[in-house]
Amino acid sequence: MSDPRARNGRPTSRDVAQDAGVSQSTVSLVLGGKWHGRVSPATARAVQETADRLGYRPNAAARNLRLGTTRTVLLVVPTLTAPFFGSVYIGAARVAARHGFGIVVYPPDDARPAGPAGNPAGSPFAVPHEAIDGIIASSMTQQALSGFGGTPVVMLDSGPAAAAPTVDFAVEDGMRAVVAHLAALGHRRFGHVAVDLDEWTFQARGEAVADAVAALPGGVLDRAAGSIDVTSAKEAAGRLLDRPVPPTALICDDDLMAAGAYKAARARGLDVPGDLSVTGFDDVQVAVAIEPELTTVRLPARELGEQGMSALLDLLEGGRPETRPLPVELVVRASTAPPSTAPPRT
Amino acid sequence: MSDPRARNGRPTSRDVAQDAGVSQSTVSLVLGGKWHGRVSPATARAVQETADRLGYRPNAAARNLRLGTTRTVLLVVPTLTAPFFGSVYIGAARVAARHGFGIVVYPPDDARPAGPAGNPAGSPFAVPHEAIDGIIASSMTQQALSGFGGTPVVMLDSGPAAAAPTVDFAVEDGMRAVVAHLAALGHRRFGHVAVDLDEWTFQARGEAVADAVAALPGGVLDRAAGSIDVTSAKEAAGRLLDRPVPPTALICDDDLMAAGAYKAARARGLDVPGDLSVTGFDDVQVAVAIEPELTTVRLPARELGEQGMSALLDLLEGGRPETRPLPVELVVRASTAPPSTAPPRT
DNA sequence: TTGTATGCGTTATCAA
DNA sequence: TTGATAACGCATACAA
């Protein structure tokens, strides 16, 4: 016997064929939906019925092997604990569904499978071992991209310098809009609460803030970095607030960090926005959960997913997808106001 | 020619064999890591080198077909926009990795693929068509479970009545602890801001609150339902607060809803916790992002994922996994205090 | 209208 | 120590 595995209880198309008294190819034809004019309606109906009765479900591995395609793409995201990526998924899944594709999500997080037992780590087996046609990688560092082999990849929110087709946000526009808004309110002394991650989007945000403030007569910028959580952001914001001449506005790289900035302000008896203006970035749920509601930059996450999937589809068909940065939108809410001390007159 | 598809540029083990001047089975042995004592070290090294040089990656579909197993399980979650499920994933992925399994996430959300083009909707092809060994379904309604065919399933947070092995939280204990905490503070008039979803966990929460309040001398309970978002929760809480005799404590089914309750209170000039106590459930990020920080019930999400994966592994090996509800923990923070008006003395 | 034969790329058995 | 060979389940070209 050369059959090493326990024969799974699942019926095969052969079983269906046998039970229905037809050949396996007929079953394949019928269940594949391409029997019209090739199989008699009566036979087709019979086959369909036996398949249902037996609870037949095609073996995906066999089908994939035969077809050479899985109509499945992998969405790789840096984390699942940020609601942002849920929206990216929804956008991508919608477009995918329209083309008969499925999407699975693969968050590297901290727990990568080691590959099938018995294989040395670092072997080609160590990468996600699902059968997929392509990959959409969102907001990853460049180095995280290694190991995808020859699989077609579209990168999201990873900057124009990426080694693959990419869809980006116009984050620079967003930061410029933030600074302009704050400047119009009268602010000149800014603090940038930055994310301490080596990803394009945060670097771009940082540079845009620096440039915009530098271009502002009398503008001065201070900066502190932290990780994307409330406590770390509170500390970073606190450092800025404790300077001899503190900023009158805190520009945060992320909405959650803005919540931390609120806390730093409150701990120092500062009112937001009366004594300190605060802005966020992303416009996720938390922006309207905190009080006062946050002035922030809305990132069209769903659209990012849509465009990313479209680009990948294009790529899979041999095209060379071209994309433009997605426009972002400043959402002014209640966390920004004129500074309490008059700005220095020039 | 019976090869309908474009031969993908990817090298096969045959290519490697040819290039290395050995047979395909030798390549398989070497790359499979089981060549010790069966292939000469020199040959093994040569094969390994050619494989690397050619960038060989094994075809997952073929391997899956041959092995009859994919060492991949599907984690099905109701949504990806709630950070809770990110933690569930991490837990499951950790356990999976230890056993050489991978996990992909499948959020049904609103965008299901329609199945390969040409197949009638509702056919067996309409389900997630990846090749997987098992399914972990978290916090789903019972009906969403249909269509999984004969694939082994473990359900998470879906109640003991589920038609499959299940891992649950002791949510009733959590709600009892909340009511006890509030009662000890002196509260007697409670409002339950409930989630308007037909999932076990919310039903259990509602019943536990009702029972606990009923068991409390002088306890009265009011109730309003809404969806899991700030605005809806604010409205629901507002309805409770506008009663002729409003509650002195609002028990929310979810942390995000508690944020909405804060807003309803603030809109009515009520101080939290001075005039109104508020509690949440889940203990996700937002609980410490809002002010005052939220008294809530911590759900060990990661552990849920771990236990779920362990149970599935057990199931896949033919076992009958037994699990106990996971203990939850009341986390007292700053949103609860004695009621401002003395409780009615009995 | 239906059945037979073939191959997808891999792993495992067996013979050399 | 190595190579030929079969089989996994399916979709298709082709023959009947």
Side-chain angles (χ1 to χ4, degrees), chain B residues 294-340:
Chain B
L294 189 66
T295 293
T296 187
V297 174
R298 175 172 302 157
L299 263 28
R302 191 170 310 200
E303 201 177 343
L304 186 76
E306 290 171 356
Q307 302 256 350
M309 187 64 208
S310 296
L312 183 56
L313 251 14
D314 191 355
L315 197 63
L316 289 175
E317 283 168 1
R320 270 272 294 131
E322 299 279 337
T323 59
R324 276 160 305 297
L326 264 26
V328 303
E329 181 193 0
L330 177 70
V331 180
V332 177
R333 285 196 272 248
S335 67
T336 46
S340 53

Side-chain angles (χ1 to χ4, degrees), chain A residues 58-275:
Chain A
N59 179 308
R63 163 197 284 267
N64 293 343
L65 177 57
R66 178 66 232 254
L67 261 25
T69 176
T70 59
R71 297 196 88 76
T72 298
V73 314
L74 203 61
L75 175 65
V76 184
V77 297
T79 178
L80 236 35
T81 48
F84 175 82
F85 298 105
S87 301
V88 175
Y89 167 82
I90 293 178
R94 286 219 174 125
V95 172
R98 276 205 291 279
H99 296 261
F101 274 71
I103 295 205
V104 296
V105 183
Y106 187 78
D109 265 324
D110 42 6
R112 264 186 192 274
N119 285 310
S123 82
F125 296 82
V127 260
H129 43 285
E130 354 306 336
I132 51 163
D133 290 346
I135 296 173
I136 302 178
S138 182
S139 316
M140 310 283 294
T141 64
Q142 291 290 92
Q143 56 105 315
L145 250 295
S146 63
F148 283 164
T151 314
V153 179
V154 168
M155 310 217 357
L156 265 32
D157 190 28
S158 304
T166 166
V167 185
D168 293 323
F169 292 126
V171 290
E172 300 91 337
D173 289 351
M175 272 307 188
R176 274 193 283 269
V178 166
V179 174
H181 165 67
L182 256 11
L185 251 20
H187 293 272
R188 289 301 178 272
R189 295 199 311 282
F190 304 91
H192 181 204
V193 182
V195 171
D196 189 13
L197 279 179
D198 182 29
E199 292 177 16
W200 167 80
T201 191
F202 299 121
Q203 307 233 347
R205 293 174 198 192
E207 284 170 23
V209 169
D211 291 351
V213 172
L216 193 67
V220 320
L221 178 66
D222 196 357
R223 198 187 124 101
S227 59
I228 306 183
D229 68 274
V230 176
T231 311
S232 175
K234 179 181 176 183
E235 289 170 8
R239 289 199 295 277
L240 261 19
L241 260 17
D242 289 339
R243 306 289 201 225
V245 186
T248 60
L250 252 25
I251 299 172
C252 304
D253 263 355
D254 183 277
D255 289 348
L256 200 59
M257 297 187 93
Y262 279 23
K263 284 178 187 289
R266 209 167 269 123
R268 286 159 181 78
L270 263 27
D271 177 64
V272 177
D275 303 313

